[in-house]
Amino acid sequence: MSVNQQVTAGPSTKSSTFRKKSVPYLLIFPAVLFVAGVLAYAVISGILLSFFQYDLNTIGRPFVWFQNYIYLFTNSAFLNSLMRSIIFVALSVIIGLILGLAFAISLYRTTKYGDFFKGLSLIPYLVSGVATAVMFRFMFASDVGLINMILDTFGLEQVLFLADPNWALFVTVLANVWGIVPFTVLILLSGIQAIDSELFEAAIVDGASKLNLLFKILLPLISPMMGIALIWLSFASFNMFDVILPLTGGGPLRATEYLAVYMYNVAFTEFQYSLGSTVMVVILFFNVTLSVIYLKIFKSAE
Amino acid sequence: MSQSGMNKAKITKFINNRLHFIPLAILAVWTIFPLLWAFSSSFKKPAEVYQTPPQLIPTDFNFANYMKVFEYDGFLRFLLNSIFLSVTTTVLAVIISILAGYGFARYAFRMRHILLMLILVPRIIPRASLIVPLFTGISALKLLDTYTALIITYVATAIPLGTWILAGFFKVIPKALEEAAQIDGAKPWQMIWYVVIPISLPAILTVSIFSLREAWNEFPFVLAFTTSSEMRTLPYQLFMLQESLGMQDWPMMLAFTLVTITPLLILYLIFEKRVVNGVTSGAVK
């Protein structure tokens, strides 16, 4: 492509300023087109759809006001899904935060091989949800599962992890945490690295114990980052879909049918599209709430 | 200080130095073990995975499972689908994000803030939550089961992060070069092509890697918007393998799993620093 250097002879100033003014709009137009056309469209049309009845058994799309919402919040399967989601998120956040913190502190403290371990810790971030699910299913399976083989070797009774509602929930938590801890580690590590290390040294000279160092110095100083990690963990867990569907499909007995999976099942196995959209609105509502908290924490961190 | 005090100090010092290796060891095992176990079992014979006590190192490495994967009916198609979708998505998303990022970083214009919000706020929308309205929209456009539907939705979900990273990068590069080019009469697109892109390659590379990873691992959209088996990507087929095989051929499935992971792992080994920094800044910014 050759650079066209010919200057058009005497362009009217009016049209050239218009052209200049339109440049930024032209630059951002494709992005706006895609994002608005797909994401904003989906959100708006989903909200609209939640006020209509649209499923395979209904002719047309009658407007039904809040009927879908009333149906959802009186429906035991949905309430069960909401309840299980909350348990799943709470456990994921607790385990994720403890592991993330332990890993971040130990990564901070290693001088040798620090980069190696840091690089290693991020690997699960690259693995797709489906692949994570297959690996965890394999480890927790009843016949070929490594965990059951280990239990067997110690003369313990086998556990049908994926057939028992509570164990299945626990396995989904583990698989989920495996995938989302790397991000948490990096967030917390960046928080710890920002602390002036002289603070630690001064405290050590003053004879502070390890627990004091942790609870009186480290945790208060990284509390903004802890907040971000916490919100991020709940955000990622609350919306988890990719790992759950291949791992348990929402079972057994809907024990792991968290909101996104419930929404998928309602829309694509029961073909109740408007009800699925209503679940989407509920999911987005939780996300917006979480994001507002996130922004508040982030603002105060700055 | 008394002798015993000295010893005590020495002991605590020793413990202090070693103690953090315990969580570090847990970190390594926790991270690597699921992958390692899948890797080891992917070389076993189908009956060998049922064997107790379990063996971390297979009795003989057989590559038959990997051959089974490569000869699996449609595997090449799924692989090409994955490659095609990831590369197309990445190229389009990067181009669009460069333009938008540059527009936001260098120009003051009316409605700038609203438009910026419009592009960045969707970062908080999880893709899986959108499948129902998108499905009805795509089916109304008669685009179900097409690459077009997948590419459009993939690109749309990649743009917010891309624009975010690139606008941030463009903002901090000095304007002097562009101003010199402007005096020489360069048009905006020439400035972007000849001046901005060459010095922004690191940021562009980061955006590309994130977009590639996202598209390569994508699951909910391809699951919801395609019906025929020719449209499946590797993760989708991996999901279907679990459903379809009655008596599960675990070693073959694990080999399949590792085949889907390996390309990203290789990319990661090459660009590790960039990925780590990108993840950190993406999370904290």
Side-chain angles (χ1 to χ4, degrees), chain A residues 99 103 106-107 117-118 120-122 181 185, chain B residues 21-33:
Chain A
L99 281 180
F103 294 165
S106 54
L107 280 176
F117 280 106
K118 194 173 162 187
L120 197 75
S121 72
L122 201 64
V181 148
V185 172
Chain B
F21 270 108
I22 297 169
L24 220 50
I26 297 173
L27 163 77
V29 172
W30 157 265
T31 305
I32 287 306
F33 191 77

Side-chain angles (χ1 to χ4, degrees), chain B residues 199-222:
Chain B
I199 50 177
S200 307
L201 284 179
I204 293 170
L205 197 62
T206 305
V207 172
S208 309
I209 293 168
F210 279 89
S211 164
L212 267 179
R213 166 195 165 269
E214 191 78 13
W216 183 263
N217 287 342
E218 208 283 331
F219 178 56
F221 285 177
V222 71

Side-chain angles (χ1 to χ4, degrees), chain A residues 260-280:
Chain A
V261 177
Y262 174 78
M263 181 190 67
Y264 174 81
N265 286 336
V266 161
F268 293 100
T269 61
E270 297 168 20
F271 305 106
Q272 306 199 57
Y273 300 119
S274 52
L275 208 56
S277 297
T278 316
V279 182
M280 178 206 90

Side-chain angles (χ1 to χ4, degrees), chain A residues 142 145-161 167, chain B residues 52:
Chain A
S142 52
L146 177 71
I147 311 297
N148 267 321
M149 287 180 176
I150 293 172
L151 290 179
D152 220 36
T153 332
F154 286 106
L156 295 166
E157 218 170 298
Q158 292 222 342
V159 180
L160 299 176
F161 288 103
W167 277 116
Chain B
T52 43

Side-chain angles (χ1 to χ4, degrees), chain A residues 157-179:
Chain A
E157 218 170 298
Q158 292 222 342
V159 180
L160 299 176
F161 288 103
L162 295 167
D164 175 274
N166 291 329
W167 277 116
L169 185 137
F170 185 68
V171 174
T172 58
V173 169
L174 281 187
N176 176 45
V177 168
W178 189 77

Side-chain angles (χ1 to χ4, degrees), chain A residues 10 20 96 99 101 153 156 163 206 208 211 223 225 257-258 273 280-281 284:
Chain A
K20 249 186 201 154
L99 281 180
L101 198 60
T153 332
L156 295 166
D206 287 349
L211 281 180
S223 63
M225 284 309 188
E257 198 180 47
Y258 312 127
Y273 300 119
M280 178 206 90
V281 176
L284 289 188

